[in-house]
Amino acid sequence: MNADPNAIAEKFRKIMGPVAYTLAKEAAKECGGSVSGEKITVDAKKLDAFRQLMQKKCGKIIGDHLAETILKEG
């Protein structure tokens, strides 16, 4: 399981394009993380919440199964 929110966003970006970073920034802010430019910072305690939000947000676009698979590969 990947513990870097930037790496998670990058995995989704490869499939979805730049919209993945927009969703990652939203997810980070929603779970209490921060965004500085293109760098996303999420506390280790809130990483699971970030991953769930990314799965939910990206799953609406690429499908829940693919979003889950992307997160499991890390």
Side-chain angles (χ1 to χ4, degrees):
M1 221 189 248
N2 200 322
D4 179 16
N6 295 289
I8 293 168
E10 179 62 22
K11 283 184 163 198
F12 280 103
R13 188 200 61 77
K14 289 179 182 178
I15 302 290
M16 300 172 58
V19 72
Y21 271 111
T22 302
L23 296 175
K25 290 176 184 179
E26 288 177 7
K29 289 177 183 177
E30 287 177 28
C31 73
S34 63
V35 177
S36 176
E38 292 296 314
K39 182 165 174 52
I40 300 166
T41 305
V42 177
D43 185 81
K45 295 175 186 174
K46 298 177 181 175
L47 189 59
D48 283 337
F50 173 78
R51 292 172 60 84
Q52 289 174 356
L53 283 169
M54 281 297 289
Q55 182 176 343
K56 181 180 176 183
K57 289 176 176 288
C58 295
K60 289 180 181 179
I61 297 170
I62 61 174
D64 292 329
H65 182 70
L66 181 55
E68 183 179 349
T69 302
I70 290 169
L71 285 172
K72 284 182 180 179
E73 288 178 353

